[in-house]
């Protein structure tokens, strides 16, 4: 299967390394890569992990027409406010009847229903496992293994930066010191306020609700409050009571429709939500037929994000 990549940063390179390691069993080939500042690369025989980039091809249409891929992999930078340019990349792929896999949650949080319908009309697959909890099979769990199950709601701890900052506050350090620590680990978004103010968690909450509950909501419609007002004093006082805080995402169906919320919640140290520490994340699905079902992802890295993209492509290739 020939692949064209939009974006070749941390995830793109980890994905290329994974493909190289799995080549014998899974013969995927990257034949084109588009970046923003590094230029564009093409080779129908397959590009090496460190390709030589040529002149930047600014037109999305020209890039795809020259690439002639079977599937498009969208790995560009997240724009939490609009979901672009990823949405345009995905639409251009559908217009050419190409399958799409993305790790970029912007399109799922902003335009999932429309994109799903466009993929259906084009007769192609649209997959996005890595958009929430990296490669942990959240969407694929529901798609493949819970037939007939209705997702009534969910509870999640989905943002790693806030986990790290809360632990820093609990150790008596400041919010800024906590943010610096998260930055050193390499998990903050380019603008850390996006994590601290709850926008990243809101985007993931909207993405999960759109796919699992047909919510049709955007991050702007999530009732959101971040952790910017927390202090070391507050966390130390809670610690003395055997309690802590997590930035918790919640979704539930009500008579007035689906409600989405992101809040810093006080929880006992022994609460299952408290087990999401540092870069770990956790999701509990409230289902009608299977009760509450949970998934804990411990200390994932960029290789797990790359694996989610890979697993989506393997699934598409099998079809
Ligand atoms: N890193 C993770 O662990 C992780 C986990 C889950 C999901 N994700 C998502 O995966 C995506 C990629 O993340 P990353 O860490 O690989 O980001 P990154 O290292 O910042 O790389 C982004 C890539 O996108 C390219 N790009 C930006 N705008 C573009 C445009 N308009 N056209 C073509 N290429 C463009 C950049 O080009 P240049 O190289 O020229 O700058 C760069 O190659 C993001 O949406 C992120 O939210 C990441």
């Amino acid at each position: 299967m020939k692949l064209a990549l939009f974006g070749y940063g941390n995830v793109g390179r980890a994905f290329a390394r994974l493909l190289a390691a799995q080549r014998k069993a899974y013969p995927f080939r990257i034949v084109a890569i588009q970046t923003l500042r590094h230029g564009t690369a093409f080779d129908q025989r397959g590009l090496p992990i460190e390709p030589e980039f040529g002149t930047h091809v600014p037109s999305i249409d020209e890039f795809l027409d020259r690439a002639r891929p079977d599937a498009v992999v969208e790995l560009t930078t997240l724009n939490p406010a609009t979901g672009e340019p990823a949405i345009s990349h995905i639409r251009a792929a559908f217009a050419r009847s190409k399958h799409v896999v993305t790790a970029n949650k912007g399109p799922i949080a902003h335009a999932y229903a429309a994109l799903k319908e466009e993929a259906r009309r084009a007769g192609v697959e649209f997959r996005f496992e890595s958009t929430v909890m990296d490669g942990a099979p959240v969407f694929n769990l529901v798609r493949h293994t819970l037939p007939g199950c209705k997702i009534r709601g969910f509870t999640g701890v989905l943002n790693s930066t806030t986990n790290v900052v809360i632990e820093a506050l609990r150790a008596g350090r400041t919010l800024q010191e906590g943010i610096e620590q998260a930055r050193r680990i390499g998990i903050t978004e380019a603008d850390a306020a996006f994590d601290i103010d709850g926008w990243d968690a809101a985007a993931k909450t909207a993405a999960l609700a759109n796919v699992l509950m047909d919510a049709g909501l955007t991050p702007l419609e999530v009732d959101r409050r971040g952790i910017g007002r927390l202090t070391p004093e507050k966390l130390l006082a809670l610690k003395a009571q055997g309690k802590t805080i997590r930035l918790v995402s919640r979704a539930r169906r009500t008579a007035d429709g689906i409600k989405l919320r992101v809040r810093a919640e006080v929880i006992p140290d022994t609460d299952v939500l408290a087990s999401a520490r540092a870069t770990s994340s956790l999701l509990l699905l409230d289902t009608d037929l299977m009760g509450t079902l949970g998934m804990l992802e411990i200390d994932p890295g960029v290789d797990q994000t790359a694996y989610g993209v890979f697993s989506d492509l393997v699934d598409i290739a099998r079809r």
Side-chain angles (χ1 to χ4, degrees):
M1 189 185 249
K2 293 191 298 170
L3 310 176
L5 270 56
F6 283 101
Y8 201 61
N10 296 316
V11 177
R13 282 164 199 276
F15 174 64
R17 289 194 299 271
L18 176 57
L19 286 194
Q22 297 290 328
R23 181 147 299 139
K24 276 197 181 142
Y26 300 96
F28 296 110
R29 215 174 346 143
I30 299 174
V31 296
I33 302 173
Q34 173 72 301
T35 71
L36 187 61
R37 296 163 302 174
H38 290 83
T40 309
F42 296 102
D43 191 337
Q44 287 293 316
R45 294 165 301 177
L47 287 161
I49 293 175
E50 293 301 336
E52 273 194 30
F53 287 99
T55 312
H56 184 244
V57 175
S59 152
I60 301 170
D61 293 330
E62 185 185 339
F63 169 71
L64 288 178
D65 289 341
R66 280 178 64 184
R68 291 180 277 119
D70 301 305
V72 168
V73 181
E74 216 298 333
L75 303 173
T76 63
T77 322
L78 169 70
N79 180 330
T82 65
E84 289 290 2
I87 292 173
S88 298
H89 295 157
I90 292 169
R91 291 213 152 111
F94 290 159
R96 287 163 179 75
S97 300
K98 308 299 180 195
H99 305 296
V100 172
V101 175
T102 185
N104 189 329
K105 56 191 161 283
I108 314 302
H110 283 275
Y112 175 63
L115 292 173
K116 181 182 163 192
E117 175 56 20
E118 287 170 40
R120 192 194 62 74
R121 273 194 264 123
V124 294
E125 297 289 332
F126 177 37
R127 296 300 178 86
F128 35 78
E129 188 58 77
S130 283
T131 56
V132 180
M133 289 179 78
D134 310 287
V138 173
F139 299 114
N140 288 327
L141 175 88
V142 176
R143 179 183 288 119
H144 293 308
T145 64
L146 296 176
C149 247
K150 193 169 177 188
I151 307 299
R152 296 192 295 212
F154 60 81
T155 305
V157 179
L158 303 170
N159 178 267
S160 315
T161 296
T162 50
N163 290 346
V164 170
V165 171
I166 288 166
E167 286 304 315
L169 294 171
R170 202 171 142 91
R173 296 198 289 278
T174 64
L175 191 82
Q176 200 50 45
E177 287 169 333
I179 293 171
E180 290 309 322
Q181 188 181 337
R183 197 164 270 142
R184 278 196 298 279
I185 308 173
I187 56 170
T188 48
E189 291 289 337
D191 179 359
F194 180 59
D195 294 300
I196 300 301
D197 295 344
W199 281 113
D200 174 71
K204 288 171 176 163
T205 306
L208 281 169
N210 288 344
V211 178
L212 301 180
M213 301 170 73
D214 281 327
L217 296 170
T218 74
L220 301 171
E221 291 158 293
V222 178
D223 176 10
R224 172 193 55 82
R225 208 176 292 157
I227 64 159
R229 287 187 176 177
L230 294 184
T231 60
E233 292 74 25
K234 165 102 177 153
L235 265 295
L236 288 167
L238 287 171
K239 188 178 177 180
Q241 301 165 28
K243 293 179 183 166
T244 190
I245 288 184
R246 287 289 179 273
L247 187 65
V248 180
S249 297
R250 290 189 187 272
R252 64 192 169 93
R253 292 183 195 276
T254 73
D256 296 334
I258 292 168
K259 301 287 179 206
L260 305 182
R261 197 180 96 149
V262 168
R263 278 278 194 293
E265 295 187 14
V266 175
I267 51 173
D269 281 337
T270 50
D271 193 297
V272 66
L273 297 179
S275 60
R277 290 190 194 89
T279 60
S280 303
S281 50
L282 180 144
L283 181 68
L284 303 175
L285 296 174
D286 173 23
T287 80
D288 57 349
L289 303 180
M290 263 304 292
T292 302
L293 203 56
M295 193 176 302
L296 173 64
E297 188 186 26
I298 298 176
D299 288 339
V302 73
D303 290 338
Q304 282 65 57
T305 308
Y307 181 78
V309 174
F310 172 77
S311 69
D312 278 341
L313 283 166
V314 170
D315 197 32
I316 291 172
R318 281 188 181 139
R319 280 148 199 272

